[in-house]
Amino acid sequence: LFESPARLIIAGGGHVGLAIASIASIVGFRITIVDDRPEFANTERFPMVDEVLCGDFGEVFDAMSIDASCSIVLVSRGHQQDTISLRHTVTRGAGYIGMIGSRRRTGTVLQMLAEEGIPQEALSQVHTPIGLDISAETPEEIALSILSEIVLVRKGGTGAKLSTLKGVQSRRSGGSVEPV
């Protein structure tokens, strides 16, 4: 069975966005970068991506086709840009939406959008804080944490360490994976 590459839309062309794009290209995602700053949204900075879009976050997202095969990562330079991006994507049926930031900051953004009338059902689907707890510190570690969460959500994994699971069925081989 052939599965088309998953689409990853990254809002933010800074250090974390660049690290996510670099790792995601190795994983095989079709990648789009969105930023409103030409110095961060260009093919020289992002030669590994399929598309770079520079412009107002709201306008760019409004013009974009979004469906369940899309994962959207909000890692822009500040909560204002992430809020705009979330406002223009959260009710559009993406398979995954994650937003970087502290619980307090992201909670404030979600509350503000709820007060604007965005349905709680849509807001409750936002993964925030974004990523898996691997004690990530560097942009590359943060990117790995975020992409691991996206793959986990897309593929339906558990997030458990394989070494702790007994007799787990390998999806590829159909055989058992036994801890060493």
Side-chain angles (χ1 to χ4, degrees):
L1 178 68
F2 177 76
E3 184 179 310
S4 63
R7 187 166 166 216
L8 177 63
I9 304 166
I10 304 168
H15 297 13
V16 173
L18 181 60
I20 294 168
S22 297
I23 297 172
S25 70
I26 295 168
V27 176
F29 282 91
R30 281 184 19 244
I31 307 163
T32 299
I33 294 290
V34 179
D35 204 301
D36 58 358
R37 304 167 293 173
E39 66 271 24
F40 288 91
N42 60 70
T43 55
E44 291 76 30
R45 182 168 174 79
F46 289 96
M48 75 295 286
V49 307
D50 300 284
E51 182 177 39
V52 178
L53 302 173
C54 185
D56 174 81
F57 285 98
E59 291 174 10
V60 170
F61 278 113
D62 283 348
M64 200 178 281
S65 170
I66 295 173
D67 60 29
S69 71
C70 296
S71 295
I72 301 171
V73 175
L74 308 177
V75 291
S76 66
R77 68 185 176 280
H79 70 276
Q80 274 188 308
Q81 291 76 23
D82 288 344
T83 302
I84 292 165
S85 297
L86 188 58
R87 182 182 291 124
H88 290 265
T89 58
V90 72
T91 60
R92 309 244 327 260
Y96 174 97
I97 298 180
M99 182 170 53
I100 203 166
S102 68
R103 287 189 194 284
R104 190 175 126 258
R105 186 191 109 179
T106 59
T108 300
V109 168
L110 294 173
Q111 179 62 38
M112 183 180 75
L113 294 178
E115 289 169 5
E116 289 179 12
I118 293 179
Q120 189 59 46
E121 182 181 330
L123 294 171
S124 69
Q125 299 300 307
V126 178
H127 297 262
T128 188
I130 195 172
L132 298 180
D133 178 9
I134 60 171
S135 295
E137 293 179 7
T138 67
E140 293 76 15
E141 290 172 344
I142 293 166
L144 180 62
S145 165
I146 292 168
L147 287 164
S148 295
E149 182 179 59
I150 291 170
V151 171
L152 177 125
V153 169
R154 285 190 69 240
K155 303 285 186 169
T158 66
K161 289 173 50 178
L162 292 177
S163 64
T164 64
L165 302 176
K166 299 278 186 201
V168 175
Q169 284 292 330
S170 167
R171 291 191 177 137
R172 289 209 174 134
S173 67
S176 267
V177 176
E178 293 294 330
V180 182

